[in-house]
Amino acid sequence: MTSIAPSSAALVDLKTDAVVIGTAVGENGLVVTGGAAEVDAALGGRLESVLAALGATGKAGETVRFATLGALPAATVLAVGLGPLASPSAPLSGPVAGPVSGPVDTEVLRRAAGTALRALAGTGSVALTLAAAPGSITAESVRAVAEGALLGTYTFDRLRTTSAKGLPTPVGALTLLVDGTSLPLAQAEIDRAVVVAESVVLVRDLVNTPPSHLSPALLADVAVEQATAAGVTVEVLDEVALAEGGFGGIVGVGQGSVNPPRLIRLEWRGGGESPALALVGKGITFDSGGLSLKPPTAMEWMKTDMAGAAAVLATVVAAARLRLPVTVTGWMPCAENMPSGDAIRPSDVLTLRGGTRVEVLNTDAEGRLVLADALVRAAEEAPDLIVDIATLTGAQIVSLGQRTSAVMGRDGAAEAVTTAAAATGESVWPMPLPPELRKGLDSTVADIANVPPGGSRDGGMLVAAHFLAHFVPDEASWAHIDIAGPSWNGGQPYGHTPKGGTGVIVRTLLQLAEDLAGPPSDQGSTIAG
């Protein structure tokens, strides 16, 4: 990954190839944000007029690049737009010398940093002034800029041939500019940002990996490698142990494939009587739909159907690397859903962990079957909070689109997830669980059906959550996050999000673990400068 370090050096003394500054939309048009004063001075106070002449407006995601012509050691300056400032805005003391008016959201900084680093691909070294964009450098602004910049350098080209690459290389080194008295705290925030970014990158890599290279067994191998390196306890159940343990959902979904299923258990113990968080992630390494076969175009991105399990792995590993004082247990039920003579059929009945018998009316509703087994097993350990994460329903995309995850649950658990998401800048929206929808899962031959008879799609995302709730004890605090759309970006890159796997929800889950452990004493503190 790209290297990153804080520095209090003056830009006139800093040997770097490019400098990133921020612009915004103020009440009277273009505003150059805090941190750019040295650039303005080097240009003789003409920075704002130069940007205006180049057509800069400050709108979010806009990039304007110009040569310094020797005014600074850096050959170029890139101005990235932050969008509208919060209102009402106070007068600035000057075009670049004073603080910006109104708060700048940390996700705005994160996206701006990512946008800048994508635009600067092929550049050797870059210095960023964006941590000062809100007017005062804070722990949150340093963290956001560092995370966004690192995530903006992401590429996935490991399967390309050397001759076919022909792509600009990611920026090699980043310098995050802060005041001299800010260095120790800034370094701590950067260290944390590196762990977070590497965890998100792990998920992106796994989601982007084709199913030919990531069977359930191979995903288990990755989990063992990552967990062992981080000091996380790991256990893998193969198909024989799964059958002996009564995991009928995982075994049933996986039995149609030549690649047998796995259940991976991860555990990080933060010490003492720390609170316990259980994370359960859907790990379907490829989803053909089984005998309820998907259309060909719907299968093109079904390598992503293990994004929930990947997020669980990355979160547990990150919690261990950050030494969080909380117990985090991860459950990764992994299978490949394929059609064959051995595959489960519509109308088959499976006996899941704990004895519940499920009538399978649609084999393409397989994720809830493997999750149900893992949820029962997770609940047996009586954690304080259970959260499952899954690319579960197309209905999530219909309801909330490609960038907003849905959360459902009980006992304040859904609220805890949305609070954590808000703190990290990830888009999560709470959804209801209307009780009348539960009746649609009644079965005439078993305890519950995996989908409503007749193929009704009404409230499909909510019905799926009702199915999962059936396998979580009533007294347990539980939330379900559907990331079907947000886990994959099939369009163009934006902000710190690349095309392909996004690594969504890792930041939220890690924040949730931190919230459960209790806030650090210095959280929200302002860095001097």
Side-chain angles (χ1 to χ4, degrees):
M1 179 175 282
T2 300
S3 66
I4 182 169
S7 175
S8 59
L11 281 176
V12 293
D13 300 323
L14 190 65
K15 294 183 179 179
T16 189
D17 297 317
V19 175
V20 175
I21 63 173
T23 58
V25 180
E27 287 185 342
N28 299 313
L30 175 69
V31 173
V32 181
T33 65
E38 287 187 72
V39 176
D40 187 50
L43 297 178
R46 294 172 296 168
L47 176 58
E48 192 173 61
S49 61
V50 168
L51 290 172
L54 292 172
T57 65
K59 69 179 181 180
E62 173 188 79
T63 58
V64 174
R65 188 172 181 176
F66 63 88
T68 64
L69 302 178
L72 287 169
T76 61
V77 172
L78 184 137
V80 60
L82 304 178
L85 296 176
S87 297
S89 58
L92 297 176
S93 58
V96 296
V100 294
S101 48
V104 176
D105 184 86
T106 54
E107 180 62 11
V108 170
L109 293 175
R110 197 176 282 109
R111 292 184 181 183
T115 296
L117 267 295
R118 287 193 296 102
L120 289 168
T123 305
S125 58
V126 173
L128 298 104
T129 70
L130 294 177
S136 61
I137 301 174
T138 66
E140 291 81 4
S141 69
V142 170
R143 182 185 301 182
V145 172
E147 288 178 359
L150 290 170
L151 293 175
T153 66
Y154 177 78
T155 59
F156 183 81
D157 57 8
R158 63 182 59 181
L159 298 181
R160 294 176 181 267
T161 63
T162 302
S163 59
K165 286 184 179 179
L167 301 173
T169 57
V171 172
L174 299 173
T175 301
L176 204 156
L177 295 175
V178 297
D179 185 85
T181 57
S182 309
L183 285 174
L185 188 51
Q187 185 63 64
E189 293 299 330
I190 288 174
D191 289 344
R192 183 193 185 280
V194 168
V195 173
V196 172
E198 288 178 349
S199 299
V200 174
V201 164
L202 172 61
V203 177
R204 290 178 177 179
D205 283 348
L206 289 173
V207 171
N208 287 329
T209 300
S212 57
H213 292 61
L214 198 69
S215 64
L218 290 175
L219 180 52
D221 290 343
V222 173
V224 170
E225 179 184 5
Q226 291 285 330
T228 302
V232 170
T233 302
V234 59
E235 176 188 10
V236 179
L237 299 185
D238 63 13
E239 65 273 28
V240 175
L242 288 169
E244 293 174 349
F247 295 95
I250 302 174
V251 171
V253 171
Q255 71 188 40
S257 172
V258 296
N259 297 308
R262 296 288 186 268
L263 175 61
I264 305 152
R265 181 186 184 276
L266 309 157
E267 183 180 69
W268 159 250
R269 285 194 169 273
E273 297 297 322
S274 57
L277 169 65
L279 301 175
V280 181
K282 175 184 173 185
I284 302 299
T285 57
F286 184 75
D287 183 16
S288 70
L291 292 180
S292 303
L293 196 66
K294 292 178 182 290
T297 56
M299 279 192 236
E300 290 178 1
W301 56 298
M302 282 301 102
K303 66 179 182 179
T304 70
D305 217 14
M306 35 59 65
V312 167
L313 169 61
T315 302
V316 178
V317 168
R321 292 181 62 188
L322 293 173
R323 314 297 294 177
L324 295 186
V326 62
T327 295
V328 185
T329 306
W331 301 90
M332 300 166 60
C334 303
E336 188 174 63
N337 187 26
M338 298 291 284
S340 74
D342 294 324
I344 54 174
R345 296 151 293 215
S347 78
D348 276 354
V349 172
L350 303 177
T351 302
L352 272 58
R353 176 83 175 186
T356 298
R357 291 183 174 173
V358 178
E359 182 183 15
V360 180
L361 296 179
N362 188 323
T363 65
D364 195 23
E366 84 299 329
R368 63 199 69 183
L369 298 174
V370 301
L371 285 172
D373 268 342
L375 282 168
V376 172
R377 178 64 186 89
E380 290 171 3
E381 299 183 2
D384 297 289
L385 175 61
I386 302 173
V387 179
D388 73 76
I389 310 97
T391 50
L392 203 61
T393 66
Q396 179 277 320
I397 303 174
V398 174
S399 299
L400 296 175
Q402 297 284 352
R403 298 190 185 183
T404 300
S405 302
V407 61
M408 294 139 275
R410 62 166 87 118
D411 293 341
E415 182 180 356
V417 171
T418 56
T419 298
T424 63
E426 292 197 292
S427 182
V428 172
W429 195 257
M431 300 294 285
L433 285 177
E436 67 274 11
L437 292 178
R438 169 60 182 82
K439 186 172 177 59
L441 294 173
D442 289 348
S443 169
T444 58
V445 299
D447 300 316
I448 189 172
N450 74 329
V451 296
S456 171
R457 293 183 146 192
D458 295 352
M461 173 174 61
L462 313 180
V463 171
H466 269 300
F467 179 88
L468 297 177
H470 181 86
F471 296 89
V472 182
D474 292 339
E475 67 275 10
S477 182
W478 160 78
H480 159 62
I481 310 175
D482 196 330
I483 60 170
S487 66
W488 179 258
N489 175 28
Q492 293 303 308
Y494 60 93
H496 52 75
T497 302
K499 184 180 179 67
T502 65
V504 75
I505 223 64
V506 170
R507 290 187 283 131
T508 294
L509 297 178
L510 192 57
Q511 184 65 51
L512 184 65
E514 290 183 294
D515 291 346
L516 195 62
S521 58
D522 62 347
Q523 188 169 351
S525 61
T526 299
I527 301 176

